[in-house]
Structures are given as C-alpha cells and as structure tokens.
Amino acid sequence: MGSAELPRVRCDVRVRAALPRVWDLVTDIHLPARLSPELQRVAWLDGALRPVVGARFEGHNSHRLLGEWRTVSQVVTLEEHRVFAWAVLDEDGRFGEPARDPARALASWCYELDADGDGTRLRQKAVLGPGRSGVTLAVEYRPDRKEEIISLRLEELRAGMEETLHGITALAERAG
C-alpha cells in the first residue's frame, strides 16, 4: 500500500481557549493517558523532558481484546503552536522485526492547531502503517475480513480521539 492508501482517521474540535493554552495541553505527552481509553501511561526516554524533533517516549497501552503492550514513539514534527506529530515504533518486535525507523512506523499521530477567532481549531489525526501492527496480524489471519478489521480499528481510534479531544477542550476552557 502506498502512503495515500494507508488507513487513517481524523477528528477536530473548536476550543474556546487561546492557541498557546491548547498547545501546552497537546504537547504534554502525559495528558492523553488521563483521557484515552487505551493509552495507560507514558514516559520520556533517553533523558528527554519535552517534545523536540527526535525525542522519544514510551507508551503503555491496554485493550480488552489485544491485551497490554508497549510502544516507543519518536517526535517527527514540531512546529510551535501549529503541529506536533510522532511516529509509533515497534522497537520490541511485537509484530515482526523490531522497527526503529519512523518510515516504518506502525502508526503516526498528529495534532494540528490553528487560531480560530477567539479560540483554537484542534485536529487530531492517526494513520495506520506502513509498518506491521496488530491490524496487520489480524488481516493476515482473516484476509476475508480485511475491510471490517480496518473499519473496526479506525472506529475504536476515532472514539478514543474524541474522548481525548473533549478532555483537552474541557481542560483548556476551564483554565480560560
């Protein structure tokens, strides 16, 4: 599959808070663990303390059907008050050969922000692949159900993204 064909999902919200406030929330890698149904905890790696291109962090996830697993993510784009993106890597080889190259990410995630009047337009996007993932394994096991498997996973991700975005919105708007 080419990158244009990779499964993807996108959600967006309008936050009634200034862009710098929303930026501070989305670049706090610990916050999604408080808001997401799947991500349980995160920690910076290699002495990193904040997002910079190349910085890495580990995430610990839990899913009722997939169990628990660890991923390592690498910040791939950081444009102050605009874009925060990271590639999720399979450094532990859970889905095949260990993947440490962002070009072989099992997923890529991104927040995009734009000033919108007196608030902020916040978008979150996820792309599955091109590296191997749990979705890849499920499709290999049941190729006849490929579309259903991908659709179900994208819906799960969408639901988690909506929860996360609504949580960020509530925190940003409460803080003023």
Coordinates of all heavy atoms in Angstrom, one line a residue, residues 87-149:
A87 N 5.8 9.3 15.4 CA 5.7 8.0 14.8 C 5.8 7.0 15.9 O 6.6 7.0 16.8 CB 6.8 7.8 13.8
V88 N 4.8 6.0 15.9 CA 4.8 4.9 16.8 C 5.6 3.8 16.3 O 5.3 3.3 15.2 CB 3.4 4.5 17.2 CG1 3.4 3.4 18.2 CG2 2.5 5.7 17.6
L89 N 6.6 3.4 17.0 CA 7.5 2.3 16.5 C 7.3 1.0 17.3 O 6.9 1.0 18.4 CB 9.0 2.8 16.7 CG 9.2 4.2 16.1 CD1 10.6 4.7 16.5 CD2 9.0 4.2 14.6
D90 N 7.6 -0.1 16.6 CA 7.6 -1.4 17.3 C 9.0 -1.8 17.6 O 9.6 -2.8 17.0 CB 6.9 -2.4 16.3 CG 6.8 -3.8 17.0 OD1 6.8 -3.9 18.2 OD2 6.6 -4.7 16.2
E91 N 9.6 -1.1 18.5 CA 11.0 -1.4 18.9 C 11.2 -2.7 19.6 O 12.3 -3.3 19.5 CB 11.6 -0.3 19.8 CG 11.9 1.0 19.1 CD 12.9 1.9 19.8 OE1 13.3 1.5 20.9 OE2 13.2 2.9 19.3
D92 N 10.1 -3.2 20.2 CA 10.2 -4.5 20.8 C 9.9 -5.7 19.9 O 10.0 -6.9 20.3 CB 9.2 -4.6 22.0 CG 9.5 -3.5 23.1 OD1 10.7 -3.1 23.2 OD2 8.6 -3.1 23.7
G93 N 9.6 -5.5 18.7 CA 9.3 -6.5 17.7 C 8.1 -7.3 18.0 O 8.0 -8.5 17.7
R94 N 7.1 -6.7 18.6 CA 5.8 -7.4 18.9 C 5.1 -7.9 17.7 O 4.5 -8.9 17.7 CB 4.9 -6.4 19.7 CG 3.6 -6.9 20.0 CD 2.8 -5.9 20.8 NE 1.3 -6.2 20.8 CZ 0.7 -6.9 21.8 NH1 1.4 -7.2 22.9 NH2 -0.6 -7.1 21.7
F95 N 5.3 -7.2 16.5 CA 4.5 -7.5 15.3 C 5.4 -8.0 14.2 O 5.0 -8.0 13.0 CB 3.7 -6.3 14.9 CG 2.8 -5.8 15.9 CD1 3.0 -4.6 16.5 CD2 1.7 -6.6 16.4 CE1 2.2 -4.1 17.5 CE2 0.9 -6.1 17.4 CZ 1.1 -4.9 18.0
G96 N 6.7 -8.3 14.5 CA 7.6 -8.8 13.5 C 9.0 -8.3 13.9 O 9.3 -8.1 15.0
E97 N 9.8 -8.0 12.8 CA 11.1 -7.5 13.1 C 11.0 -6.1 13.8 O 10.2 -5.3 13.5 CB 11.9 -7.3 11.8 CG 12.4 -8.5 11.1 CD 13.4 -9.2 12.0 OE1 14.4 -8.5 12.4 OE2 13.3 -10.4 12.1
P98 N 11.9 -5.9 14.8 CA 11.8 -4.6 15.5 C 12.0 -3.5 14.5 O 12.8 -3.6 13.6 CB 13.0 -4.6 16.5 CG 13.2 -6.1 16.7 CD 12.9 -6.8 15.4
A99 N 11.2 -2.4 14.7 CA 11.2 -1.3 13.8 C 11.6 0.0 14.6 O 10.8 0.4 15.5 CB 9.8 -1.1 13.1
R100 N 12.7 0.6 14.2 CA 13.2 1.8 14.9 C 13.2 3.0 14.0 O 13.5 4.1 14.4 CB 14.6 1.5 15.5 CG 14.6 0.5 16.5 CD 16.0 0.2 17.1 NE 15.9 -0.8 18.1 CZ 16.0 -2.1 17.9 NH1 16.1 -2.6 16.7 NH2 15.9 -2.9 19.0
D101 N 12.8 2.8 12.7 CA 12.8 3.9 11.7 C 11.4 4.4 11.6 O 10.4 3.7 11.3 CB 13.2 3.3 10.4 CG 13.2 4.3 9.3 OD1 12.9 5.4 9.5 OD2 13.6 3.9 8.2
P102 N 11.2 5.8 11.8 CA 9.8 6.3 11.7 C 9.2 6.1 10.3 O 8.0 6.1 10.2 CB 10.1 7.8 11.9 CG 11.3 7.9 12.7 CD 12.1 6.7 12.3
A103 N 10.0 5.8 9.3 CA 9.4 5.5 8.0 C 8.7 4.1 8.0 O 8.0 3.8 7.1 CB 10.5 5.5 6.9
R104 N 9.0 3.3 9.0 CA 8.3 2.0 9.1 C 7.4 2.0 10.4 O 7.2 1.0 11.0 CB 9.4 0.9 9.3 CG 10.2 0.7 8.0 CD 11.2 -0.4 8.1 NE 10.7 -1.6 8.6 CZ 11.3 -2.4 9.5 NH1 12.5 -2.1 10.0 NH2 10.7 -3.5 10.0
A105 N 6.9 3.1 10.7 CA 6.0 3.3 11.9 C 4.8 2.3 11.8 O 4.3 2.1 10.7 CB 5.5 4.7 12.0
L106 N 4.4 1.8 12.9 CA 3.1 1.0 12.9 C 1.9 2.0 12.9 O 0.9 1.6 12.5 CB 3.1 0.0 14.1 CG 3.1 0.5 15.5 CD1 1.7 0.8 16.1 CD2 3.8 -0.6 16.3
A107 N 2.1 3.2 13.3 CA 1.1 4.3 13.2 C 1.8 5.6 13.3 O 2.9 5.7 13.9 CB 0.1 4.1 14.3
S108 N 1.2 6.6 12.8 CA 1.6 8.0 13.0 C 0.5 8.8 13.5 O -0.7 8.7 13.1 CB 2.1 8.6 11.7 OG 3.2 7.9 11.2
W109 N 0.8 9.7 14.5 CA -0.2 10.5 15.1 C 0.2 12.0 15.0 O 1.4 12.3 15.0 CB -0.3 10.2 16.6 CG -1.0 8.9 16.8 CD1 -0.4 7.6 16.7 CD2 -2.3 8.6 17.2 NE1 -1.3 6.6 17.0 CE2 -2.5 7.2 17.3 CE3 -3.4 9.5 17.4 CZ2 -3.7 6.7 17.6 CZ3 -4.6 8.9 17.8 CH2 -4.8 7.5 17.9
C110 N -0.8 12.9 15.0 CA -0.5 14.3 14.8 C -1.6 15.1 15.4 O -2.8 14.8 15.3 CB -0.4 14.6 13.3 SG -0.1 16.3 12.9
Y111 N -1.2 16.2 16.1 CA -2.1 17.3 16.4 C -1.8 18.5 15.5 O -0.6 18.8 15.3 CB -1.9 17.7 17.9 CG -2.4 16.8 18.9 CD1 -1.5 16.2 19.8 CD2 -3.8 16.6 19.1 CE1 -2.0 15.3 20.8 CE2 -4.3 15.8 20.1 CZ -3.4 15.1 21.0 OH -3.8 14.3 21.9
E112 N -2.8 19.1 15.0 CA -2.7 20.4 14.2 C -3.5 21.4 14.9 O -4.7 21.1 15.3 CB -3.1 20.2 12.8 CG -2.2 19.2 12.0 CD -2.7 19.0 10.6 OE1 -3.9 19.3 10.3 OE2 -1.9 18.6 9.8
L113 N -3.0 22.6 15.0 CA -3.7 23.7 15.7 C -3.7 24.9 14.8 O -2.7 25.2 14.1 CB -3.1 24.1 17.0 CG -3.0 23.1 18.1 CD1 -1.8 22.1 17.9 CD2 -2.9 23.7 19.4
D114 N -4.9 25.6 14.8 CA -5.0 26.9 14.1 C -5.8 27.9 14.9 O -6.8 27.5 15.6 CB -5.8 26.7 12.7 CG -5.0 26.0 11.7 OD1 -3.9 26.4 11.4 OD2 -5.4 24.9 11.3
A115 N -5.3 29.1 15.0 CA -6.1 30.2 15.6 C -7.5 30.3 14.9 O -7.5 30.2 13.7 CB -5.4 31.5 15.6
D116 N -8.5 30.4 15.7 CA -9.9 30.5 15.1 C -10.7 31.5 15.9 O -11.3 31.2 16.9 CB -10.5 29.1 15.2 CG -11.9 29.0 14.6 OD1 -12.3 29.9 13.9 OD2 -12.6 28.0 14.7
G117 N -10.6 32.7 15.5 CA -11.2 33.8 16.2 C -10.6 33.9 17.6 O -9.4 34.1 17.7
D118 N -11.5 33.8 18.6 CA -11.0 33.9 20.0 C -10.7 32.5 20.5 O -10.5 32.4 21.7 CB -12.1 34.6 20.8 CG -13.4 33.8 20.9 OD1 -13.6 32.9 20.1 OD2 -14.2 34.2 21.7
G119 N -10.6 31.5 19.7 CA -10.3 30.2 20.1 C -9.3 29.5 19.2 O -8.5 30.1 18.6
T120 N -9.4 28.2 19.3 CA -8.4 27.3 18.5 C -9.1 26.2 17.9 O -10.0 25.5 18.5 CB -7.4 26.7 19.5 OG1 -6.7 27.8 20.2 CG2 -6.3 25.9 18.8
R121 N -8.8 25.9 16.6 CA -9.3 24.8 15.9 C -8.2 23.7 16.1 O -7.0 23.9 15.8 CB -9.4 25.0 14.4 CG -9.8 23.9 13.6 CD -11.1 23.2 13.9 NE -12.2 24.2 13.8 CZ -13.5 23.9 14.2 NH1 -13.7 22.7 14.7 NH2 -14.4 24.8 14.2
L122 N -8.6 22.6 16.7 CA -7.7 21.5 17.1 C -8.1 20.2 16.3 O -9.2 19.8 16.4 CB -7.7 21.2 18.6 CG -7.0 20.0 19.1 CD1 -5.5 20.1 18.8 CD2 -7.2 19.8 20.6
R123 N -7.1 19.7 15.6 CA -7.3 18.4 14.8 C -6.4 17.4 15.3 O -5.2 17.7 15.6 CB -7.1 18.7 13.3 CG -8.2 19.4 12.6 CD -7.8 19.7 11.2 NE -6.7 20.6 11.1 CZ -6.7 21.9 11.3 NH1 -7.8 22.5 11.7 NH2 -5.6 22.7 11.2
Q124 N -6.9 16.2 15.4 CA -6.0 15.0 15.7 C -6.2 14.0 14.6 O -7.3 13.7 14.2 CB -6.4 14.4 17.1 CG -5.4 13.3 17.5 CD -5.7 12.7 18.8 OE1 -6.8 12.8 19.3 NE2 -4.7 12.2 19.5
K125 N -5.0 13.5 14.1 CA -5.1 12.6 13.0 C -4.2 11.3 13.4 O -3.2 11.5 14.1 CB -4.5 13.2 11.7 CG -5.2 14.4 11.3 CD -4.8 14.9 9.9 CE -3.4 15.4 9.9 NZ -3.0 16.1 8.6
A126 N -4.6 10.2 12.9 CA -3.8 9.0 13.0 C -3.8 8.3 11.7 O -4.8 8.2 11.0 CB -4.4 8.1 14.1
V127 N -2.7 7.7 11.3 CA -2.5 6.9 10.1 C -1.9 5.6 10.5 O -0.9 5.5 11.3 CB -1.6 7.6 9.1 CG1 -1.4 6.7 7.9 CG2 -2.1 9.0 8.7
L128 N -2.5 4.5 10.1 CA -2.0 3.1 10.4 C -1.0 2.7 9.4 O -1.3 2.9 8.2 CB -3.2 2.1 10.4 CG -4.3 2.4 11.4 CD1 -5.3 1.3 11.3 CD2 -3.8 2.5 12.8
G129 N 0.1 2.2 9.8 CA 1.2 1.8 8.9 C 2.2 2.8 8.6 O 2.1 3.9 9.2
P130 N 3.1 2.6 7.7 CA 3.1 1.4 6.8 C 3.7 0.1 7.5 O 3.7 -0.9 6.9 CB 4.1 1.9 5.7 CG 5.0 2.8 6.4 CD 4.2 3.5 7.4
G131 N 4.3 0.3 8.7 CA 4.9 -0.9 9.4 C 3.8 -1.8 9.9 O 2.6 -1.5 9.9
R132 N 4.3 -3.0 10.3 CA 3.4 -4.0 10.8 C 2.8 -3.6 12.2 O 3.5 -3.0 13.0 CB 4.1 -5.4 10.9 CG 4.6 -5.9 9.6 CD 5.4 -7.2 9.7 NE 4.7 -8.2 10.5 CZ 3.7 -9.0 10.0 NH1 3.3 -8.8 8.7 NH2 3.2 -9.9 10.7
S133 N 1.6 -4.0 12.4 CA 0.9 -3.7 13.6 C -0.1 -4.9 14.0 O -0.2 -5.8 13.2 CB 0.1 -2.4 13.5 OG -1.0 -2.6 12.6
G134 N -0.8 -4.7 15.0 CA -1.9 -5.6 15.4 C -2.9 -5.8 14.3 O -3.5 -6.9 14.0
V135 N -3.2 -4.7 13.6 CA -4.1 -4.7 12.5 C -3.6 -5.6 11.4 O -4.3 -6.4 10.8 CB -4.5 -3.3 12.0 CG1 -5.3 -3.3 10.7 CG2 -5.2 -2.5 13.0
T136 N -2.3 -5.4 11.1 CA -1.6 -6.3 10.1 C -1.8 -7.7 10.4 O -2.2 -8.5 9.5 CB -0.1 -5.9 10.0 OG1 0.0 -4.5 9.8 CG2 0.5 -6.7 8.8
L137 N -1.5 -8.1 11.6 CA -1.7 -9.5 12.1 C -3.1 -10.0 11.9 O -3.3 -11.1 11.4 CB -1.2 -9.7 13.5 CG 0.3 -9.4 13.8 CD1 0.6 -9.6 15.2 CD2 1.2 -10.2 12.9
A138 N -4.0 -9.2 12.3 CA -5.5 -9.6 12.2 C -5.9 -9.8 10.8 O -6.6 -10.8 10.4 CB -6.3 -8.5 12.9
V139 N -5.4 -8.9 9.9 CA -5.8 -9.0 8.5 C -5.1 -10.3 7.9 O -5.7 -11.0 7.1 CB -5.4 -7.8 7.7 CG1 -5.4 -8.0 6.2 CG2 -6.3 -6.6 8.1
E140 N -3.8 -10.6 8.3 CA -3.2 -11.8 7.8 C -3.9 -13.0 8.2 O -4.0 -14.0 7.5 CB -1.7 -11.8 8.3 CG -0.8 -10.8 7.5 CD 0.6 -10.7 8.1 OE1 0.9 -11.4 9.1 OE2 1.4 -9.9 7.5
Y141 N -4.4 -13.0 9.4 CA -5.2 -14.2 10.0 C -6.5 -14.3 9.3 O -7.0 -15.4 9.1 CB -5.3 -14.0 11.5 CG -6.0 -15.1 12.2 CD1 -5.4 -16.4 12.3 CD2 -7.3 -14.9 12.7 CE1 -6.1 -17.4 12.9 CE2 -8.0 -16.0 13.3 CZ -7.4 -17.2 13.4 OH -8.0 -18.2 14.0
R142 N -7.2 -13.2 9.0 CA -8.5 -13.2 8.4 C -8.6 -12.3 7.2 O -9.2 -11.2 7.2 CB -9.6 -12.8 9.4 CG -9.8 -13.8 10.6 CD -10.3 -15.1 10.1 NE -11.5 -15.1 9.3 CZ -12.7 -15.3 9.7 NH1 -13.0 -15.4 10.9 NH2 -13.7 -15.3 8.8
P143 N -7.9 -12.6 6.1 CA -7.8 -11.7 4.9 C -9.2 -11.4 4.4 O -9.5 -10.4 3.8 CB -6.9 -12.4 3.9 CG -6.8 -13.8 4.4 CD -7.1 -13.8 5.9
D144 N -10.1 -12.4 4.5 CA -11.5 -12.2 4.0 C -12.3 -11.1 4.8 O -13.3 -10.7 4.3 CB -12.3 -13.5 4.1 CG -12.3 -14.1 5.5 OD1 -11.3 -14.1 6.2 OD2 -13.4 -14.5 6.0
R145 N -11.8 -10.7 5.9 CA -12.4 -9.7 6.8 C -11.6 -8.4 6.9 O -11.8 -7.6 7.8 CB -12.7 -10.3 8.2 CG -13.7 -11.4 8.1 CD -14.0 -12.0 9.4 NE -14.7 -11.0 10.2 CZ -15.0 -11.2 11.5 NH1 -14.5 -12.3 12.1 NH2 -15.7 -10.3 12.2
K146 N -10.7 -8.2 5.9 CA -9.8 -7.0 5.9 C -10.5 -5.7 6.2 O -10.2 -4.9 7.1 CB -9.0 -7.0 4.6 CG -8.1 -5.8 4.5 CD -7.4 -5.7 3.2 CE -6.5 -4.5 3.1 NZ -5.8 -4.5 1.9
E147 N -11.5 -5.4 5.3 CA -12.2 -4.1 5.4 C -12.9 -4.0 6.8 O -12.9 -2.9 7.4 CB -13.2 -4.0 4.3 CG -12.6 -4.0 2.9 CD -11.6 -2.9 2.7 OE1 -11.8 -1.8 3.2 OE2 -10.5 -3.2 2.1
E148 N -13.5 -5.0 7.3 CA -14.2 -5.0 8.6 C -13.2 -4.8 9.7 O -13.4 -3.9 10.6 CB -14.9 -6.3 8.8 CG -15.6 -6.4 10.2 CD -16.2 -7.7 10.4 OE1 -16.2 -8.6 9.6 OE2 -16.8 -7.9 11.5
I149 N -12.0 -5.5 9.7 CA -11.0 -5.3 10.7 C -10.5 -3.9 10.7 O -10.4 -3.3 11.8 CB -9.9 -6.3 10.5 CG1 -10.3 -7.7 10.7 CG2 -8.6 -6.0 11.3 CD1 -9.4 -8.8 10.2

